Amino acid sequence: MLWFRRLVLVLIARPIARIFTGADIVGRERLPLKGPAILVANHASHVDTILMLTLYPSRGLDRVRPAAAADYFLRGGLISWFSNTIIGIVPVARDKAGTGVDVLAPVREALKAGDIVLIFPEGTRGDGEAMSDLKSGVARLAADVPEAPVIPIWLQGAGRVLPKGGFVPVPMNCTVLVGEPLHWQGDRAAFMTELRDRLEDLHANAPPQRWA
Amino acid sequence: MDTITAFFAGQSLALLWGLGGVLAFLTLAVAVTALMPMIKPAGDFTNLRQRISSWWVMIALLAGALLMGWQAVTALFVVISFIALREFLSLAPVRREDRLIVLAAFVAMLINYLFIVIDDYGLYRVFIPTYVFLIIPFLMACIGQTRAFLATTATFHWAIVTCVYNLGYIAFLMRTPASEALPAGAAGLVFFLLVATEANDVAQYVWGKLFGRRKIVPKVSPNKTWEGFLGGWLTTGLLIWFVGPVFTPLSGIGLAVLAIFLPVAGFAGDVTMSAIKRDIGVKDTSALIPGHGGLLDRADSLTFTAPLYFHILAYFALGRF
């Protein structure tokens, strides 16, 4: 079904995303075309995922899989079908975190299979302004798959197109800023600080596509 | 083949020559940029090349629409207004509570263009300047956020008048009836507005690059000079005076008024939009057009010249408006 996914994303979702957001991207050449790789982005809207998938170079697109909450996206019915077939999610059972279940196992397997996994380490959608605390799962993944580069990405403006709790999407320009890749160096705290700094740097360089 | 021949046979000869002239000029520009590295080996001409490549696309879209008629031009300007408005409202200070007001602005845009489709100039003229002007603040009041209320209404009005109402005049020119004495049809009117405005931008840029010394508005546009402004004024003024009669029904005083004021309006549009961008803290309104920036960066002077051109034509020559 990969051909179907590519068809929908490139021929349908891409033009729609461009019309709604302008979809400017800075540093597109830094997006990896081959896995394993970890894309790390801030999160304010479902539009974030759509933007990443529609902006991704077609040559790498088949490998890109967003890690997503199983409790939300695999509720069954149309949502599950769409999440699996079109978005191509890697399910994370975030409701089972802390119960001893290895919730990141599917992500690790996807990376080891050569996928490019998109992760929103805030764990949920924020208000589109300040980034909340980053969960350290991303460091565990980087440690387990050290050959995967970690690419920080700032998504500016998507929270205005469709905020959390919103139903009507409104056309607003968005900009995606792709940073230089990071590599696992052996220290979890240092890695998380570095990652956050890189994301904040990208944020500082983003155009003022935000609420006044 | 016959349909293609018939399509071109139905066009105004002056318009076809005009479009041919623009293509020739662009080809010349390509040749010059190809030779530039020989004259100045150390220079970087990537931006210039990008700019010219983008011109091919913009000219192809506009020329295609002009040849196809008012429906295509209106459709193209709906898209242009939409993108310009989206760029403007995405950067200008708009409050979180105004999200649905942004949507209302897009609805106002569609209604504005609907008046062009049904060819009702009376409604077009009053809808945005009077009724959208009143309704947008009322809707904002209904939402209830009063912080920065007045400033935000100004943001919406500026966005809608420049990106929708003023640019819409260009599409409305296409509704000039064939019964008017038009030397190159309605498309010729639109063609000449676009040529004069963009030629003015280019002429100011070239004169400024070659002879620019005295800054004209240093706090807003540090690269703009008196030499660029005056050289562009003279060049565009002469262009309008000598070529204007080929595409427009203007002559005598009407033509002189256009020759004098259109270059100034183009400069004013450019500088005023620059002041807004500087206030917001951006250089470009987006990265839509390689080498140029956003759509609004390209259309800034047009938001000022379009209504002026329309009104000068309406006052001196066109019975319809």
Side-chain angles (χ1 to χ4, degrees):
Chain A
M1 288 296 267
L2 272 176
W3 65 270
F4 183 65
R5 176 181 191 248
R6 206 182 312 154
L7 200 76
V8 172
L9 289 177
V10 174
L11 294 183
I12 300 173
R14 191 177 279 179
I16 294 175
R18 278 210 79 110
I19 290 166
F20 265 85
T21 73
D24 283 337
I25 179 162
V26 182
R28 190 173 189 262
E29 69 285 353
R30 290 199 272 266
L31 290 172
L33 301 177
K34 279 194 298 212
I38 305 173
L39 312 172
V40 180
N42 60 312
H43 199 22
S45 170
H46 292 317
V47 173
D48 291 331
T49 313
I50 305 291
L51 252 187
M52 281 311 297
L53 290 174
T54 53
L55 270 170
Y56 220 88
S58 303
R59 271 187 303 152
L61 184 60
D62 284 354
R63 280 293 181 187
V64 181
R65 302 186 61 198
D71 55 280
Y72 188 94
F73 289 97
L74 298 182
R75 277 175 289 176
L78 201 61
I79 290 192
S80 290
W81 176 84
F82 188 77
S83 305
N84 283 321
T85 315
I86 306 299
I87 306 296
I89 68 163
V90 186
V92 176
R94 75 180 162 179
D95 49 341
K96 294 204 179 68
T99 60
V101 180
D102 181 8
V103 297
L104 291 177
V107 184
R108 204 176 294 112
E109 278 161 34
L111 285 170
K112 292 208 165 131
D115 283 341
I116 302 164
V117 179
L118 170 63
I119 289 174
F120 299 114
E122 288 166 279
T124 187
R125 288 168 291 161
D127 64 1
E129 271 151 39
M131 213 176 10
S132 48
D133 287 340
L134 304 184
K135 304 208 184 304
S136 62
V138 58
R140 287 219 301 286
L141 290 170
D144 292 345
V145 193
E147 67 274 26
V150 177
I151 294 101
I153 294 168
W154 186 266
L155 300 164
Q156 178 81 344
R160 301 204 290 178
V161 177
L162 188 68
K164 196 171 184 169
F167 294 103
V168 188
V170 172
M172 298 286 266
N173 273 54
C174 299
T175 305
V176 176
L177 299 102
V178 186
E180 297 285 350
L182 256 85
H183 291 273
W184 175 250
Q185 302 287 353
D187 183 290
R188 186 181 290 186
F191 177 87
M192 291 308 294
T193 313
E194 177 72 16
L195 182 63
R196 193 175 178 94
D197 288 351
R198 297 275 189 103
L199 286 167
E200 292 292 3
D201 277 353
L202 293 170
H203 185 188
N205 286 314
Q209 291 156 346
R210 57 172 176 261
W211 298 123
Chain B
M1 196 62 216
D2 287 346
T3 35
I4 298 171
T5 320
F7 179 76
F8 282 104
Q11 303 290 343
S12 135
L13 202 59
L15 180 65
L16 292 176
W17 274 105
L19 290 171
V22 170
L23 293 183
F25 187 79
L26 205 57
T27 311
L28 184 73
V30 172
V32 171
T33 30
L35 293 174
M36 281 300 258
M38 292 180 206
I39 304 160
K40 226 170 125 188
D44 180 12
F45 301 101
T46 322
N47 179 272
L48 195 60
R49 263 198 290 274
Q50 274 184 340
R51 262 175 186 264
I52 293 172
S53 305
S54 297
W55 271 122
W56 286 108
V57 179
M58 290 188 277
I59 287 167
L61 286 171
L62 288 164
L66 283 178
L67 293 174
M68 281 192 280
W70 73 267
Q71 297 91 338
V73 172
T74 306
L76 180 63
F77 273 85
V78 168
V79 175
I80 290 174
S81 278
F82 171 77
I83 297 174
L85 189 62
R86 196 193 64 207
E87 285 180 355
F88 196 115
L89 291 177
S90 298
L91 288 168
V94 168
R95 307 158 307 168
R96 184 179 289 273
E97 296 80 5
D98 301 319
R99 206 175 78 87
L100 292 177
I101 305 292
V102 175
L103 198 63
F106 288 115
V107 173
M109 178 202 86
L110 289 175
I111 297 172
N112 180 73
Y113 278 94
L114 183 72
F115 295 141
I116 298 178
V117 173
I118 64 170
D119 202 11
D120 195 324
Y121 182 53
L123 286 176
Y124 183 89
R125 213 163 30 165
V126 295
F127 175 64
I128 283 177
T130 310
Y131 295 99
V132 174
F133 177 85
L134 298 171
I135 293 167
I136 292 272
F138 170 64
L139 292 177
M140 285 167 59
C142 291
I143 288 172
Q145 170 59 273
T146 53
R147 175 183 58 86
F149 186 89
L150 189 57
T152 312
T153 63
T155 299
F156 277 108
H157 294 322
W158 237 87
I160 297 172
V161 171
T162 52
C163 303
V164 181
Y165 182 69
N166 288 3
L167 291 180
Y169 271 116
I170 301 170
F172 221 136
L173 272 178
M174 289 297 286
R175 303 308 309 256
T176 313
S179 55
E180 307 253 0
L182 301 176
L189 297 178
V190 174
F191 172 77
F192 193 64
L193 166 66
L194 299 173
V195 167
T197 305
E198 298 311 321
N200 187 48
D201 283 1
V202 174
Q204 285 186 12
Y205 175 81
V206 172
W207 278 90
K209 277 275 173 197
L210 293 176
F211 305 107
R213 291 173 54 129
R214 279 167 287 260
K215 293 192 188 306
I216 184 163
V217 273
K219 285 186 179 153
V220 176
S221 279
N223 292 327
K224 293 228 174 342
T225 58
W226 275 104
E227 290 80 1
F229 169 60
L230 295 172
W233 195 354
L234 187 72
T235 310
T236 315
L238 290 173
L239 174 85
I240 292 173
W241 182 253
F242 288 108
V243 186
V246 179
F247 297 99
T248 74
L250 293 171
S251 61
I253 296 177
L255 191 60
V257 168
L258 186 69
I260 292 167
F261 289 108
L262 188 130
V264 182
F267 173 79
D270 194 341
V271 168
T272 312
M273 280 293 178
S274 291
I276 291 172
K277 284 187 274 181
R278 202 158 272 266
D279 177 20
I280 293 168
V282 293
K283 210 178 132 286
D284 293 334
T285 54
S286 82
L288 179 74
I289 314 173
H292 295 258
L295 194 146
L296 212 44
D297 297 309
R298 188 63 275 140
D300 50 5
S301 35
L302 212 48
T303 63
F304 275 50
T305 57
L308 179 78
Y309 181 78
F310 185 97
H311 291 138
I312 289 176
L313 279 170
Y315 187 83
F316 288 101
L318 302 180
R320 164 73 180 82
F321 299 110

